[in-house]
Amino acid sequence: FTIFNKNNIGFSTYSEQDGWISTPYIASNNMMHYNNVAYQNNTKKIWLSNVSNKLFNWDPISNQYTTIPYDSAWGSILSLQSNALSEIWLLTDKGIADWNGTSWQSVNLNSLPYGFSSIKDFIATTLGQIWIIPKNKQGLYVYQTKQKFNTETGLNLTTSSNAGNLPSTNVLAIAEDKKGSIWVGTDN
């Protein structure tokens, strides 16, 4: 999946069967300047957000766009994610939320050792944990929500041998593989 540049509004998807298929901007969907994308495996839908904080999902089979409700009081959409369970998550400048099928549920991150504005990126894992990369080079923060677990807890992973043993606290990338293992890229 790739988003066109500013002069070619739309997006492309790739499959081994069909190769690259381009979907140009459709004026009636009021969806310009895509800036985030997530693929929902169970529905095969593609979720898109734009710089105006509009959320859509697109069904490539029916070529239908659906507007997803989003309250601008939640702030600017910074990232849109999907995990292996096909859950959709978003990061805003005011926090993280997940989609329950009809509305967004805010995730309480009050236990973060740094504010919401310090979140650089995140992933939502198959286990329902949220792995957060802070902007200020403080390692990683792993959070379990009450929505997914019996207890709500968080853990700050650093270079300390009893707190993650990361090679550096400057985390640059994070990913989950198909087996559920977490891979972390640092500057060291």
Side-chain angles (χ1 to χ4, degrees):
F1 189 91
T2 185
I3 299 173
F4 292 176
N5 65 35
K6 66 180 180 177
N7 297 320
N8 298 307
I9 301 170
F11 58 90
S12 296
T13 56
Y14 177 82
S15 71
E16 289 184 19
Q17 177 183 349
D18 300 322
W20 284 102
I21 298 174
S22 297
T23 302
Y25 163 71
I26 299 171
S28 64
N29 76 9
N30 192 27
M31 186 64 185
M32 289 186 65
H33 306 291
Y34 311 105
N35 62 352
N36 290 294
V37 62
Y39 177 72
Q40 192 173 21
N41 196 39
N42 67 338
T43 65
K44 309 295 185 218
K45 291 182 180 178
I46 297 166
W47 288 63
L48 301 156
S49 71
N50 68 11
V51 295
S52 300
N53 293 316
K54 303 277 188 223
L55 278 169
F56 294 82
N57 68 32
W58 176 66
D59 183 339
I61 296 166
S62 66
N63 197 28
Q64 295 293 312
Y65 287 87
T66 303
T67 302
I68 304 300
Y70 180 75
D71 185 347
S72 60
W74 283 51
S76 298
I77 299 170
L78 304 175
S79 181
L80 192 58
Q81 303 278 330
S82 177
N83 63 13
L85 300 174
S86 293
E87 297 169 323
I88 300 295
W89 297 77
L90 62 84
L91 168 66
T92 73
D93 56 1
K94 300 199 178 187
I96 293 177
D98 70 331
W99 179 251
N100 68 11
T102 57
S103 64
W104 295 101
Q105 294 181 325
S106 177
V107 176
N108 179 7
L109 294 176
N110 290 330
S111 61
L112 278 177
Y114 30 82
F116 295 128
S117 62
S118 295
I119 298 174
K120 177 178 169 183
D121 205 356
F122 81 105
I123 63 168
T125 69
T126 304
L127 292 176
Q129 297 170 323
I130 301 168
W131 289 62
I132 297 168
I133 303 173
K135 290 180 182 176
N136 50 6
K137 302 177 185 177
Q138 289 186 328
L140 284 168
Y141 190 77
V142 184
Y143 180 77
Q144 290 186 173
T145 70
K146 278 188 178 178
Q147 297 161 345
K148 308 291 178 190
F149 296 90
N150 291 333
T151 58
E152 179 178 34
T153 186
L155 175 65
N156 197 184
L157 303 177
T158 65
T159 55
S160 173
S161 62
N162 63 351
N165 204 24
L166 295 172
S168 167
T169 56
N170 187 12
V171 177
L172 304 173
I174 188 167
E176 179 182 22
D177 67 21
K178 290 182 180 182
K179 294 181 180 179
S181 296
I182 304 298
W183 292 82
V184 178
T186 69
D187 65 349
N188 187 7

